[in-house]
């Protein structure tokens, strides 16, 4: 018996986010997907938890054929990117996918890393993080949405 085609978006992306932190190496995950899922063992909540705990920056690319879909699936990719300090890169009709991937990698390579050390006792769990530039006219900041303490 043939099984219907399926997409395991949650499983594939969740597993790609399980990384061993390395202080001397930054990690990037590039997801090219319409973000639809119909066969995963994991669900969206598990994906969000994996994203909160990863050190990887996630860039998502929404294929041009799905770019008109501004609903649930596009917002799923956007949320995943923003949570990890990456961004959604919409594919354009006349642009080769290779140039989109190169743009994401170059942007990642040319970004800065801010490190900080927590002081005092902090409760376990998710903690929201906001990064701003004083007098930041002309600057834009993209950072992780928070950090997780286990």
């Amino acid at each position: 018996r043939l099984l219907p085609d399926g997409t395991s978006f949650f499983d594939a992306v969740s597993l790609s986010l399980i990384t061993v932190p390395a202080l001397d190496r930054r990690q990037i995950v590039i997801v090219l997907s319409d973000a639809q899922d119909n066969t995963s063992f994991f669900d969206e909540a598990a994906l969000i938890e994996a994203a909160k705990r990863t050190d990887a920056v996630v860039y998502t690319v929404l294929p041009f054929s799905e770019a008109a879909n501004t609903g649930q699936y596009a917002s799923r990719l956007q949320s995943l990117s923003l949570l990890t300090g990456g961004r959604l890169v919409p594919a354009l009709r006349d642009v080769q996918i290779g140039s989109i991937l190169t743009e994401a990698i170059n942007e990642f390579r040319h970004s800065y890393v801010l490190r900080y050390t927590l002081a005092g006792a902090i409760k376990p769990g998710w903690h929201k993080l906001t990064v701003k530039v004083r007098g930041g006219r002309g600057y834009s900041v993209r950072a992780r949405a928070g950090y997780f303490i286990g």
Side-chain angles (χ1 to χ4, degrees), residues 73-97:
Y73 304 121
S75 65
R76 181 178 287 160
L77 292 173
Q78 175 78 4
S79 297
L80 178 61
S81 294
L82 292 176
L83 187 62
T84 63
R87 73 178 177 97
L88 171 63
V89 182
L92 304 173
R93 178 184 298 274
D94 298 332
V95 177
Q96 295 287 341
I97 195 66

Side-chain angles (χ1 to χ4, degrees), residues 4-49:
D5 289 340
T7 301
S8 298
F9 173 78
F10 298 134
D11 290 352
V13 178
S14 295
L15 293 173
S16 74
L17 297 179
I18 299 171
T19 61
V20 177
L23 291 178
D24 60 335
R25 280 201 94 142
R26 297 172 52 218
Q27 298 171 330
I28 184 173
V29 172
I30 299 176
V31 176
L32 172 61
S33 176
D34 61 10
Q36 295 183 41
D37 189 297
N38 58 8
T39 61
S40 282
F41 174 79
F42 295 116
D43 60 10
E44 190 163 6
L47 173 59
I48 296 302
E49 283 303 310

Side-chain angles (χ1 to χ4, degrees), residues 116-123 147 149:
Y116 54 91
T117 304
L118 299 173
I122 306 292
K123 288 192 249 179
Y147 58 93
I149 296 180

Side-chain angles (χ1 to χ4, degrees), residues 97-116:
I97 195 66
S99 63
I100 291 170
L101 299 177
T102 301
E103 175 188 342
I105 292 167
N106 283 336
E107 185 176 297
F108 175 77
R109 290 179 59 219
H110 292 100
S111 61
Y112 289 96
V113 176
L114 300 177
R115 297 195 194 279
Y116 54 91

